[in-house]
């Protein structure tokens, strides 16, 4: 049988090139989608873990500030804790390169001469230590960073942290990546005292890394440190820190994974359809083999071997394609990680062996899953039925009502299950979406059949094409089903993203009312130390054309172990406007009572709301403010806590302002004010934006976040379009006699061409109709179930009519393009091809 | 001379290239003329070239050499599209296996040539009903064709061939898939309709009885037509 397999393989592949090519394409695109997403998901957390390893090396425990820096006196307490072998402080600061607010350096300050285990401490150690210490701003950078920026030893670089500028002198080049491959190329190391001095944080540190004494369990020491140091600090092992990042990204990663699985799901349809067609075409061959003594198992093995080979071909194309897609989207995903999650950006991809294994499993699994049904069916048939002519579409037609009922039952059970039991279950949205994407395709055979039944045949045009779709239900219904799934995904996500964007836009319009926003170049750091120069605030306040100035103090903090954004504003600002759109409760009394507001994502994820008390880790222990209300917030899914500035000072001590919102008198040009401000403070690194620019920037970040989603949508659509091509090629081949009849009866080539294009458009129409309905349902699930459960956002439903019309146009165009080649082949069918068999 | 001829072959031959054993001559150089209203039967063994001759006569295959003329128009000077349109307007075809579309009704199968020609339904509906009435299927108009018997299917195919009032009716073993009784009924019907409409009728058959009903009975041997 193996010899037979070898002999016939080439002949079959030559005979059905297009069929096999499309099968391989389906597998390749599915593998590429899954692989790209998994590579991105893996590297999103790997980048963070890598940066931890690069900075903390083999430290077994890290002590971190909760707000987020620490008083350096904590170091003494750590060192005096039994079980601590060594401990060393670190200062970490994300600084902007002056004049380029999009380029950040990750500065790590540590004691250059301390006998510590900071990675590369020996390499970083300067040859002339005295000179290094005597040179303020002496730093070590990686050769890659030097090459990227055109810097060399001895050069100086001006960086900013808050309103403070500092001059760094490149003292040496150290290849951090050689020891820690995932170390950021933007890593810059310097002496800790210099770092504190340059960035104005003398007496403050960001982290203490601890090496545990032999025989002491790190977890036990961590627990001891927690007890000793109190809730104002966080004590974590490197694994726990990695898990924190993974937890932060879990919803983001899960959603991408789900989307990529839809691609492989659509691919399985394609493989199924191709396998079905190929096997039906070869039924006589199997009949002959069986009559010559081949067992059912041998026939099944023969079919499965071919499919496995095709799957492997698909995998071999899908793997490089997936990596290319991941690489191409690296910048966009990195931007999302840094913008929304404050994590490290991905600079280079880590590709462990198992990720390739995953691609192979997904590709082969998808191919075998798609072909298993037809293969089992073919191998189980008796010899007589294999040798007899039979038409598969008739079986599908007879099964169409049962499939339709099953599809409806799946949808119904999912809906009832959700309404009765599933509302409290976080994953119910995925269960609903899965039921929708499984149930919908089952509706297509009956719909295609009914459409054929009601279509009038008063002309040899698109109506005739629709009528003839029902003639080969097995082929056309599968193509329509695959397209239905792809369209449902496309429309569902477009509706969700469009609604989200509109909601965001409205929220910005409602809550961001000031005319000008001023912050520093290093505003992304979310630390209490990157502050705006008071001189700038005073100067703005003093302007006659300014109605009010709203100050914002913000930093990362912790409620329990949950990282949140902590915001302080003046709730009793005169001349300002409401900045919080409330979901529940009110802002009344927040300023006087020491109460706080929590953001909607925080509220939905924790269930802690109005009337409850929060437990926020402060520098002096836990603070327990009352929650006065919940406000809509789309700036971070981590969750945020907002309070009055005076309350903030009371809880967290005095601090500076990170940014200000300026309300101008009516008629004053914001851009003119911005220009004057920049001119007045040429040496202060300011970022000033008008209301409209800020809005545009927010929407740009939003669009960036969903860019990867669009790639996945496009891949699914491409697979579905390949499904249309496949279906029409099959029709062109299987219905050669019918086409020859049309030609014999006087149909011109153009008419046959148009007929086939009409079939393609007909399949697209069914896919659009059913997929459109499914898409609306999917959007409902994404908006009202999944988003609330995973991200905690309320999204107002909105119909992005232009986007949807554009997509409908794209789908029809894709269907048209997918139909051209088969239509061309069909139109070339000569009338002489009329076989002696019946049609 | 050719103007009064419905079908004319002048030195027409057909050779198929590409087989391992070289080219196969399906039709030796052949010359004949069939005037309008004439009925010709062609008999011969399988592979003798009967169907090739019929395909060449219908213009659905092109000769290797020679000229085929339908209603006085030489096919070699026509473009592929012009040949198609000429066939649509002048030739009716009936096949052994009926070649009806299973997903269409009786009415829709008969209407197919007019649909292809782009005629408005109101212009050909009366003709469909007239033909179906004539062949005894007026009460089966909306039935799917797969519910019909073999004889009924062939009657539908005959209606389809005659719908556009062709000049020539070509039939490739029209009774080859029917039992004797049904064959006889179908041929009776065809002869009646051909007579009524004064068509040129060329048909291929294996049956000596059926062949004997034509004005002329031709035989074919190894691609050669033996005229009486």
């Amino acid at each position: 049988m193996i010899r037979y397999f070898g002999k016939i393989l080439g002949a079959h592949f030559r005979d059905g090139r297009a069929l096999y090519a499309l099968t391989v394409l389906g597998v390749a695109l599915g593998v590429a989608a899954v692989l790209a997403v998994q590579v991105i998901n893996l590297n999103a957390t790997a980048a963070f873990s890598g940066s931890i390893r690069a900075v903390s090396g083999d430290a077994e425990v890290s002590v971190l500030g909760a707000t987020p820096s620490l008083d350096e006196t904590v170091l003494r307490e750590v060192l005096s804790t039994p079980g601590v072998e060594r401990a060393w402080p670190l200062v970490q600061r994300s600084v902007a390169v002056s004049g380029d607010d999009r380029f950040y350096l990750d500065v790590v300050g540590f004691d250059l001469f301390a006998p510590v285990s900071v990675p590369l401490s020996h390499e970083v150690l300067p040859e002339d230590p005295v000179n290094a210490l005597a040179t303020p701003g002496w730093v070590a950078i990686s050769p890659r960073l030097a090459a990227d920026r055109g810097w060399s030893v001895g050069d100086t670089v001006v960086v900013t942290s808050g309103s403070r500028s500092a001059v760094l002198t490149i003292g040496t080049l150290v290849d951090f990546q050689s020891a820690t491959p995932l170390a950021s190329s933007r890593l810059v190391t310097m002496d800790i005292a210099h770092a504190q001095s340059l960035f104005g944080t003398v007496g403050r540190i960001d982290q203490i890394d601890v090496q545990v004494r032999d025989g002491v369990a790190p977890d036990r020491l961590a627990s001891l440190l927690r007890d000793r140091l109190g809730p104002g600090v966080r004590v974590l092992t490197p694994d726990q820190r990695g898990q924190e990042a993974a937890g932060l990204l879990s919803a983001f990663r899960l959603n991408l994974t789900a989307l990529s699985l839809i691609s492989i799901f659509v691919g399985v349809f394609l493989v199924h359809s191709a396998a079905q067609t190929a096997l039906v075409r070869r039924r006589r061959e199997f009949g002959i083999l069986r009559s010559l003594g081949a067992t059912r198992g041998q026939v099944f093995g023969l079919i499965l071997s071919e499919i496995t080979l095709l799957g492997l071909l698909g995998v071999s194309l899908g793997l490089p394609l997936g990596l290319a897609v991941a690489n191409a989207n690296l910048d966009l995903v990195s931007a999302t990680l840094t913008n929304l999650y404050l994590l490290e950006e991905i600079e280079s991809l880590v590709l462990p062996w198992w990720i390739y294994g995953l691609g192979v499993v997904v590709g082969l699994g998808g191919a075998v899953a798609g072909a298993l049904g037809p293969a089992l069916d073919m191998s189980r048939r008796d010899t007589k039925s294999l040798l007899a002519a039979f038409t598969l579409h008739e079986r599908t037609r007879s099964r169409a009502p049962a499939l339709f009922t099953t599809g409806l039952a799946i949808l119904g059970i999912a809906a009832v299950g959700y309404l009765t039991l599933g509302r409290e279950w976080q994953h119910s949205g995925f269960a609903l979406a899965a039921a929708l994407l499984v149930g919908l395709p089952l509706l297509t055979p009956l719909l295609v059949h009914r459409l054929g039944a009601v279509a009038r045949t008063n002309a040899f045009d698109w109506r005739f094409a629709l009528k003839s779709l029902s003639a080969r239900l097995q082929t056309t219904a599968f193509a329509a089903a695959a397209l239905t799934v792809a369209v449902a995904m496309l429309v569902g996500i477009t509706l969700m993203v469009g609604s989200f964007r509109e909601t965001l836009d409205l929220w910005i319009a409602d809550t961001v009312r000031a005319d000008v926003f001023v912050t520093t170049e290093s505003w992304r750091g979310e630390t209490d130390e990157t502050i705006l120069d008071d001189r700038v605030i005073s100067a703005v306040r003093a302007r006659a054309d300014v109605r009010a100035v709203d100050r914002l103090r913000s930093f990362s903090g912790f409620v329990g172990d949950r990282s949140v954004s902590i915001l302080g504003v003046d709730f009793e600002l005169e001349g300002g406007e409401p900045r919080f759109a409330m979901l529940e409760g009110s802002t009344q009394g927040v300023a006087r009572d020491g109460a706080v507001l929590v953001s909607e994502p925080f509220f939905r994820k924790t269930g802690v709301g109005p009337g409850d008390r929060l437990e926020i880790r402060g520098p002096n222990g836990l603070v327990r403010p009352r929650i006065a209300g919940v406000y809509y917030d789309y700036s971070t899914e981590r969750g945020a806590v907002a309070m009055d500035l005076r309350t903030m000072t009371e809880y967290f001590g005095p601090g500076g302002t990170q940014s200000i919102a300026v309300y101008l008198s009516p008629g004053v040009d914001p851009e003119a004010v911005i220009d004057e401000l920049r001119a007045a403070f040429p040496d202060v690194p300011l970022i000033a934006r008008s209301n409209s620019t800020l809005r545009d920037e927010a929407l740009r970040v939003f669009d960036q976040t969903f860019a990867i989603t669009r790639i996945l949508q496009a891949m699914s659509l491409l697979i579905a379009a390949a499904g249309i091509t496949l279906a029409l090629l099959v029709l062109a081949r299987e219905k050669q006699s019918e086409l020859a009849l049309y030609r014999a009866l006087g149909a011109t080539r153009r008419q046959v061409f148009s007929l086939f294009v009409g079939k393609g458009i007909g399949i697209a129409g069914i896919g659009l109709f059913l997929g459109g309905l499914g898409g609306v349902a999917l959007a409902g699930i994404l908006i009202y179930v999944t988003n609330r459960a995973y991200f905690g956002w309320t999204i107002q439903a909105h119909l992005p009519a232009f986007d949807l019309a554009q997509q409908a146009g794209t789908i029809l165009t894709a269907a048209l393009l997918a139909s051209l080649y088969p239509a061309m082949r069909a139109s070339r069918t000569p009338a002489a091809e009329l076989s002696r068999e019946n049609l | 001379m050719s103007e009064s001829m419905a079908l004319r072959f002048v030195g027409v031959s057909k050779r198929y290239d590409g087989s391992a054993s070289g080219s196969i001559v399906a039709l030796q150089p052949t010359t004949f003329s069939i005037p309008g209203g004439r009925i010709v039967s062609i008999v011969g063994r399988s592979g003798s070239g009967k169907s090739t001759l019929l395909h060449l006569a219908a213009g659905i295959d092109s000769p290797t050499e020679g000229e085929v003329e339908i209603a006085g128009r030489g096919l070699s000077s026509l473009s592929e599209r012009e040949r198609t349109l000429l066939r649509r307007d002048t030739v009716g075809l009936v096949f052994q296996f009926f070649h009806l579309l299973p997903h269409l009704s009786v009415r829709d199968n008969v209407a197919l040539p007019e649909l292809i020609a782009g005629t408005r339904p109101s212009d050909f509906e009366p003709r469909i009903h007239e033909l179906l009435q004539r062949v005894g299927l007026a009460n089966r108009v909306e039935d799917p064709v797969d519910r019909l018997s073999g004889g009924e299917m062939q009657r539908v195919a005959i209606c389809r061939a005659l719908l556009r009032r062709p000049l020539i009716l070509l039939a490739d073993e029209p009774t080859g898939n029917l039992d004797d009784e049904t064959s006889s009924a179908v041929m009776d019907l065809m002869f009646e309709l051909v007579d009524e409409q004064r068509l040129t009728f060329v048909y291929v058959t294996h049956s000596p009885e059926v062949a004997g009903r034509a004005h002329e009975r031709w035989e074919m041997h190894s691609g050669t037509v033996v005229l009486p």
Side-chain angles (χ1 to χ4, degrees), chain A residues 245-589:
Chain A
L248 209 57
L249 284 175
S250 62
F252 175 78
R253 296 165 71 195
L254 185 65
N255 278 279
L256 280 185
T257 301
L259 284 180
S260 70
L261 289 178
I262 294 178
S263 296
I264 197 79
F265 185 54
V266 178
V268 167
F269 273 89
L270 190 67
V271 172
H272 180 92
S273 195
Q276 186 83 276
T277 307
L279 297 184
V280 167
R281 196 189 286 172
R282 291 168 55 191
R283 66 185 185 278
R284 280 177 195 278
E285 176 194 338
F286 300 131
I288 292 166
L289 288 176
R290 295 274 286 119
S291 67
L292 294 176
T295 63
R296 289 181 171 170
Q298 281 179 308
V299 170
F300 182 71
L302 180 74
I303 297 168
L304 224 55
S305 304
E306 284 186 26
I307 284 296
T308 304
L309 198 63
L310 290 175
L312 279 174
L313 273 173
V315 168
S316 64
L317 288 176
L319 290 179
L321 184 63
L323 294 182
V325 171
N327 259 314
N329 287 278
L330 216 54
D331 289 346
L332 292 171
V333 175
S334 279
T336 302
L337 295 179
T338 51
N339 284 330
L340 295 189
Y341 299 98
L342 302 176
L343 291 174
E344 299 295 319
E345 63 184 61
I346 309 168
E347 290 187 349
S348 56
L349 293 179
V350 180
L351 300 167
W353 65 268
W354 63 261
I355 206 112
Y356 296 102
L358 179 76
V360 174
V361 169
V362 165
L364 286 186
V368 171
L372 197 61
L376 279 173
D377 180 55
M378 202 55 69
S379 61
R380 282 177 183 168
R381 286 181 174 275
D382 59 48
T383 311
K384 190 179 156 196
S385 74
L386 285 170
L387 288 169
F390 72 101
T391 46
L392 202 65
H393 68 278
E394 281 171 5
R395 264 186 26 213
T396 306
R397 189 182 299 174
S398 66
R399 284 181 187 172
L403 290 173
F404 189 85
T405 310
T406 308
L408 278 187
I410 290 172
L411 297 178
I413 289 168
V416 172
Y418 171 71
L419 293 173
T420 53
L421 305 167
R423 288 187 193 210
E424 302 305 319
W425 184 42
Q426 194 195 18
H427 304 304
S428 60
F430 284 114
L432 276 176
L436 185 71
L437 296 178
V438 170
L440 264 184
L442 297 175
L443 308 182
T444 53
L446 192 68
L447 278 179
V448 175
H449 180 53
R450 287 269 184 266
L451 188 68
V454 298
R456 300 289 301 164
T457 46
N458 286 334
F460 194 67
D461 55 12
W462 61 272
R463 283 164 292 192
F464 196 90
L466 284 186
K467 185 107 191 155
S468 60
L469 281 182
S470 64
R472 283 289 189 276
L473 212 51
Q474 180 69 23
T475 307
T476 52
F478 258 92
L483 190 64
T484 295
V485 173
V487 170
M489 173 193 173
L490 206 65
V491 170
I493 290 172
T494 301
L495 277 170
M496 188 274 284
V497 172
S499 298
F500 199 171
R501 199 176 195 279
E502 184 70 12
T503 305
L504 181 68
D505 205 9
L506 288 172
W507 175 73
I508 292 171
D510 271 356
T511 59
V512 183
R513 299 249 180 111
D515 303 293
V516 173
F517 298 86
V518 184
T519 186
T520 63
E521 286 177 343
S522 56
W523 59 275
R524 286 167 213 244
E526 271 220 350
T527 72
D528 209 10
E529 281 89 24
T530 54
I531 57 174
L532 188 61
D533 197 324
D534 274 341
R535 289 178 301 139
V536 176
I537 303 171
S538 303
V540 173
R541 273 199 176 128
R543 289 179 67 104
D545 52 7
V546 168
R547 248 186 321 138
V549 175
D550 196 0
R551 290 181 299 138
L552 172 75
R553 180 183 169 194
S554 69
F555 49 84
S556 274
F558 283 84
V559 173
D561 289 325
R562 175 179 287 277
S563 168
V564 293
S565 197
I566 297 181
L567 315 170
V569 293
D570 184 354
F571 272 79
E572 292 184 332
L573 180 73
E574 286 182 19
E577 295 182 38
R579 291 146 292 175
F580 295 95
M582 299 303 292
L583 172 69
E584 274 187 33
S586 80
T587 57
Q588 291 290 320

